[in-house]
Amino acid sequence: MKKNLTQRIGQSKGRYLFLLFFLLCSSWAMAQTVSGLVRSGSDNQPLAGATITIKGTTKSTAADVNGHYSIAAAQGATLVFKSIGFVSLELKVGSGSTLNATLTEENKNLNEVVVIGYGTQKKANTSGAVSIMKNENLDERAITRVDQALVGQLAGVDVKQTSGLPGKAFSIQIRGTGSISAGNEPLYVIDGFPLTNNSSNTSNGSFANGNPLDNINPNDIETIEVLKDAAAAAIYGSRASNGVVLITTKHGTTGKPKISFNTYVGYNQSSKHLDMLNGDQWIARATEWINSNYVLAYGTSKGATANDNAATRQANLGLSGSQVNSLYMLDPRWAIPGHPGLEFVDWQNVTQRKGLMENAEISASGGTDAIKYFISGNYANQDGFLIGVGYQAYTARANVEINASKKLKFGVNIAPTYSITKDPGVDGKDNIYQQSLYTTPVQEDTVGLYPNFGKNAPYTWGQTNVNAPLGKLQNLVGTTKRYRTLGTLYGEYEIIKGLSFRSTLNLDNTDENRNTYVPYIATGANAAARTFSGANNLTGANSGTYNSFRHQNFVNENTLTYNTSIHSDHSLSFLVGQSYNYDHFDRVTLNSSTGFTSAVIQTLNAAAAVTGNTTATQSVLISYLGRVQYGYKDKYLLSASVRSDGSSRFGANNQYALFPAGSVAWRVTQESFMSKVPTISDLKLRFSYGITGNNNIGDYSSIATLGSGNQYVFGTTQAAVIGAAPNVLANPDLKWEKSATYDGGIDFGILNNRITGSFDYYNRLSTQLLLNVQVPEVTGFQTYLNNVGSVRDVGQELELTTRNLVGKLQWTTTLNIAHNTNNVVSLAPGQTQIIIPNGLEVSDQILRVGYAQNSIYVLKEVGFLTAADIANHAATYGPAGAEQVGDPKFEDTNGDGVITEADKQILGHPNPNYIFGVTNSFRYKGFDLSIMVQGQQGGQIYSQLGRAISRPGQGFPDNEPESFANRWISPTQQGEGRFGKTFSTYNSPIGAFSEWIYSSDYIRVKDITLGYNLKSLIKTPVIQGARIYVTLENFFGADKYTNGLNPEAANTSVGSNSAYPEAGDYGGLPLAKSLIFGLNFTF
Amino acid sequence: MVVASSCNKDLNQIPISTATTATFYQQPSDFIQGINSAYGALRGYPNNLIQLGEYRSDNIYGVSVSGRDWDPINDFSTGLAPNVYVEGAWNGYFSGIFKANTVLDQIAENGSLAGSASLATRLQAEAKFLRAFYYFELVKNYGGVPLITKPVVASTAIGIPRSSVSDVYALIISDLQFAVANLPANYSGAFPNYTATDVGRATKYAAEGELAEVYMARSGPAYGVQGPGMGLSEWNLAMPLLQDIISNGGFVFNPNYASIFSYANTNPTVNKEAVFDVMYVGGNLGLGASFVWLDLPQNYFSSLGTNTVANGTLEPIPVSPNFVSSYEAGDLRKAATVLTTGYTFAGNTETRPFFKKYVDITKIPTTNSGDWAINYIAIRYTDILMRKAECILNGASGGTQTDVDAIVNQVRTRAGLAPRVNVTLAQLFDERRREFADEGPRWYDLQRSGNLITIMNAWIAVDDTQHRISTVVPNFVIYPVPQTQLDGAPGLYTQNPGY
């Protein structure tokens, strides 16, 4: 504090001396002292730091914190007022000594400089489709991941939050999906460093090889730009088909040090509770089920009726004494008021909590002519809303740039990070969260929350195969520790004016390990296996794993750029470059499922028998690139680029491919005739065409590798022998997926840029898809990876910003909406469809020419069977006679009188037709408020979860959704039409019905942030900025996924063939909603 | 440019943790592993035989209630091309041929690394035996098929059409002749000959037995289709091969029929009936057998109370009434082959008879239905003997009607039946039907006998009480080319007539 004050005094002295100097020097020119106030036109606030220059001279001064300035200037001289973000203003010095200046804010969109691949450009002069998000949208919110920040922000960028697990990566698709097998995630480039694409990540929504955005601190981000069309993205060639996300981190600027301290604290909890049958409802259903089963089994043979008492049932069952059979007999306590001895449990409530969220960050930035720096350190902690789940991250960053001479500068960006994720296995099929939905809600009160756990037996009428979800959350261990360092070293040398050479060395190193531990008390099949009874028992029932990988991605890029202009009308820019990209994975897997020798040691040294192995893969990408940009009077803009990429993943004959692109733009408003149309302040027409690629396949997919699984048996005493044979059909011709994209766009500003926006139409045809196709078996294989098939994505995008109010109360609305249609255009020659092989039950998705990728392909349920239907032999599956009134009725599409696989039809597609986001922000005096709403429309979910918890004929121990109460009860009480009768023996082998299709439409108030600028309260000049805020994230919303939690959930691998990935929701966590209080300080 | 060209070498990445065909074959054990993988394709052979050879024949009347995979096989549907069994056999055998070709290719290229010329020769003989074995199965089921003698890439494969039956046979015969000349006769030699740990590998006698079968199949009538029969009358070529096995092979006629298929007798050195075995082992190594339960429904196993892992088919595949009634009174083979007692499960009593030849209810695997620990005898000594009788009855030199009667009566005596004299070909085939029931050869025996059409249609008229089976026409002698193969290379393969 004292130091700062001294500095200020020093500065004041300096200014007076400076003024004195001017007074002295300019007295001969009849100079006078001009002073005044510089203010912002929009809010009348003083513009501290605005510079005032006497035109045609180097004489200048700066406004003080209150916007005051004074300068010695001769009458008639012109003063130029400049302030960053404002249009500069020129005023003539008149006879008076006071000259106030009111600067109007410049349209940021126009003069903004944007990062393009391998360079920067004025946004006004870009001719490709680029969407931009600035850090101001990030700093004001409580966000733990960069992908989280992108939700709802940019047109055509569909950010799917596939899980409510803290710290888990999101899935991002830009302009739909163009690939079937090779992944649809974009390429991420951080400060020029292209990160490794995700590969094979769509099978279950997780990223086994890590996600490029893991551990990246969102507070370090300056801007995020998305290159959407081919012209913008093609400079990244073979990896650009799915779009390119350019992330720029914060950098220091010349000036005194700026120190920021940001912190927040709050809590998060589940945003959705799926109402299941409560205890009484469950008892009603169980009673109905058991009675039906009892009458079915003993009605004919022994005259059993639902009214039989326990003794009669025992007699019919041949039981005696206290023997019961829960399939045919009721728990007598159900009928007693208060059901003594039983406890009703809402498993979701008992396994959840309000999880603490906290974050603290400090950063410093600044610079001199010689060095500029930005350094930051961040700690984030999020306890999940599910007990035992959490995420912690420690990140640091140093971005330092040194100007060694006028021509030479070099710098280093380094970001070491460390995170710990705790997940005992909660998301997905038969995991703990799903179990918290369907676990029997009625339990013995003697065991309470721990049925079928430790020495506790399961409830006689409850599940025998589900161990207490709460006990598992408390006792199972699943910890992932990730240490990741991103580092970039670069140097730039200006050879001659306009010509500079830049070289970068980048390394992304991730060390990740995950250890799991399952103690015997938690998961044993019976009480004996879950209780300690000596060493044998202990060694039999514990298990543990330790899996780790090291991923290294090294990139060296060298570029030469030349910028020049001819007669100031023609601007030209050239780029040539070369890039080398090396990617290496080392993996270790260790596990033991045969038990531990100690109950206290959880590491594998105490495991009875550990099996493990190590594997490694690597790939190389070598690229050459070039680009020419030409502009005539900033009016006609041309850009052409080409990149040649060679990848080791491809066949020897096709390692290299060429990716050309070109674009043109016309800034109509630069034409003189447009001056007659003052309402249109900006208008630019764009058109582009280009070819981009996708190389996201396994590292050695074109080579005939040898595989296991070829064993045989020989010997007098039969014994296994190893066999070795190729497991891949070599394809030396294997090459890239190619996408050809047309994009037409218009950027506009109306009414002095009160309304700005852009509209794009695009048409992307992805061809020569990397697809596993049939091949004659004479090759030894049924399928091989080849380049066949094509998919088309066509869409429109609108981004709009309107400054509705610009006075004391400011109100800005930004809107983005995108529409995309996706179509399989062709598969292998002669092939019209591929039914996606299903690893869970039966196939429910299809690739069919003319339809959206991964269309939902199931039997259509058309109500319930009536007595008349059965009498008329309505089409059924399986042996006739098993069906009864109230069982589901299906559409027999081919009319052959039986329901088979052939009667399946396409009834939806998973990707939404529309995605949108709207942000309204308000500022009034010191207050700021922003409300962000986002959502999607037009997609469907085929819910594996729905199937799991509400299937026909489901036994009574498993709980059902509460909406099951609205099931078919009788021919006159058909319910909502989704759920059939409680008890059914009509079980389908086909089993994929429209019953489990839900609309994935949702609308969500993603974020509400209310902030107050304390600057007006804190008068000390030391603090340059101070703001407190409160944020509500995911607090309000609505969706149509009535028997599920998250319409975007992806957590379970449904497809059985990795070539046709299908991720489903089999009990994914709901999203977290959070309430956060935060503080931003800037010194 | 120097940097660029050295970098370009980096594009040729060699897998770190897996071998490739270009790098793997460096030492004798590598080549042996290669040939082992070619044997691996045998594991599906018993299943194919049962699904294509039994389900198709008059032994089984198994039309299902809800449209199972075996229905179109059993009821002579013309829409059989997409059937999984039809596809599975084609794929399995060509996969085996590819693995055998890979070994042959590697020996041709890198044979010096195999350690010794004699090992290289042995491995070539094994590879050729297996290649011929698989090609013979393909000819028996599909007629002429593409002829592939070295590994091919996809672009080559789509240019290789089906060859004629006689061209395929030419390769089969030359391969088997090489195998007869170069395979070890037994497992008592020293490496690179077979040692005790090699039991199960093809021997000279296995190759002779296979070659004899090939000649006999060619000798059967053609029925006017491009199938296995060529009407060539090569009985005299088969005869000496069979005789050599009988005279010199050291095989023994097992006097107890049931014990041939006993789990106690599955060791090939003990079970002297086995000329060539498909080998399986239990213990959850993924190397057990599943053919055992292919003729029995799940509910049968469930009725035993010990079926924890879905042994058995989804619906019953009962034995045809005609087959059951074909047993003479007192035939000991009936009880060893057919379950006639029925079973009751979940209140439903099933009385129809089922094949249960390989089932020992004390050996039901509990963790994996494909883990039965029993071998499948691919070439059985009794078959060699009865084939000798068949050759004699077809006029081959080297034997008389007395020899024929002796062979058949040896079989009948073991079955507890009275001897016959002047056994006819029809009687011989009838005896074979019961002797080899549930072992898979019935359909191919019918082909070779020349009476396939008449016998099948006569049987259908009697046993097809549900009128589910189509009339058998000559085109049904062989199966269609699988639909996946037609789809995989449109226009390349001509479909067999009638499908």
Side-chain angles (χ1 to χ4, degrees), chain B residues 73-216:
Chain B
I73 304 271
N74 194 241
D75 66 17
F76 293 90
S77 161
T78 54
L80 199 48
N83 183 269
V84 291
Y85 302 141
V86 171
E87 185 193 328
W90 177 290
N91 289 349
Y93 296 135
F94 269 114
S95 169
I97 289 165
F98 165 72
K99 288 164 183 169
N101 279 334
T102 302
V103 174
L104 290 168
D105 197 46
Q106 288 298 330
I107 290 174
E109 278 184 34
N110 304 309
S112 60
L113 301 173
S116 67
S118 51
L119 177 61
T121 305
R122 187 199 103 186
L123 294 169
Q124 283 176 308
E126 289 183 79
K128 290 190 173 189
F129 170 84
L130 291 166
R131 183 167 72 180
F133 189 96
Y134 299 137
Y135 261 121
F136 184 42
E137 289 305 309
L138 288 165
V139 170
K140 279 160 63 181
N141 288 307
Y142 308 96
V145 293
L147 211 49
I148 307 284
T149 54
K150 60 188 283 133
V152 293
V153 296
S155 53
T156 311
I158 57 172
I160 304 176
R162 299 176 67 182
S163 290
S164 70
V165 169
S166 59
D167 284 353
V168 180
Y169 268 133
L171 177 74
I172 293 171
I173 290 168
S174 85
D175 275 355
L176 287 174
Q177 284 170 339
F178 182 90
V180 169
N182 292 292
L183 282 174
N186 54 48
Y187 305 106
S188 58
F191 187 81
N193 276 313
Y194 293 156
T195 68
T197 56
D198 291 309
V199 167
R201 291 186 189 276
T203 61
K204 172 190 175 187
Y205 298 111
E208 286 183 339
E210 187 70 9
L211 184 54
E213 276 193 45
V214 169
Y215 286 131
M216 291 173 73

Side-chain angles (χ1 to χ4, degrees), chain A residues 236-242 659 691-695 736-739:
Chain A
Y236 287 103
S238 61
R239 294 168 294 174
S241 269
N242 297 323
F659 300 94
I691 290 170
T692 50
N694 185 352
N695 72 343
W736 321 89
E737 287 186 2
K738 270 194 179 175
S739 293

Side-chain angles (χ1 to χ4, degrees), chain A residues 335-497:
Chain A
I336 302 172
H339 40 79
L342 297 176
E343 183 172 341
F344 291 178
V345 185
D346 181 325
W347 288 104
Q348 286 172 82
N349 285 352
V350 302
T351 52
Q352 293 178 14
R353 63 182 174 188
K354 284 183 177 172
L356 174 72
M357 291 177 81
E358 53 191 338
N359 187 299
E361 176 181 78
I362 188 152
S363 68
S365 66
T368 63
D369 287 342
I371 184 164
K372 294 185 181 108
Y373 60 88
F374 169 84
I375 58 168
S376 76
N378 187 82
Y379 165 72
N381 175 44
Q382 182 179 358
D383 292 339
F385 58 78
L386 214 52
I387 289 165
V389 168
Y391 173 73
Q392 282 174 294
Y394 305 83
T395 61
R397 171 171 289 272
N399 291 350
V400 179
E401 185 171 275
I402 294 156
N403 289 314
S405 75
K406 279 203 162 181
K407 298 200 160 194
L408 177 66
K409 68 178 173 187
F410 50 91
V412 63
N413 301 341
I414 186 157
T417 65
Y418 180 65
S419 69
I420 304 164
T421 307
K422 288 194 173 145
D423 172 13
V426 298
D427 223 1
K429 183 178 189 292
D430 295 334
N431 284 332
I432 302 171
Y433 181 74
Q434 190 204 342
Q435 293 184 337
S436 78
L437 299 176
Y438 70 73
T439 300
T440 315
V442 175
Q443 298 289 347
E444 296 284 352
D445 63 6
T446 49
V447 305
L449 303 179
Y450 298 92
N452 213 22
F453 191 83
K455 66 182 185 346
N456 295 340
Y459 175 44
T460 306
W461 280 263
Q463 291 132 329
T464 55
N465 59 346
V466 178
N467 305 99
L470 178 60
K472 283 161 71 176
L473 287 173
Q474 290 165 332
N475 287 277
L476 269 56
V477 175
T479 307
T480 303
K481 294 174 184 162
R482 182 189 304 124
Y483 178 67
R484 181 182 189 192
T485 302
L486 271 166
T488 297
L489 178 69
Y490 63 90
E492 198 170 316
Y493 183 72
E494 189 175 35
I495 300 163
I496 54 169
K497 187 171 164 45

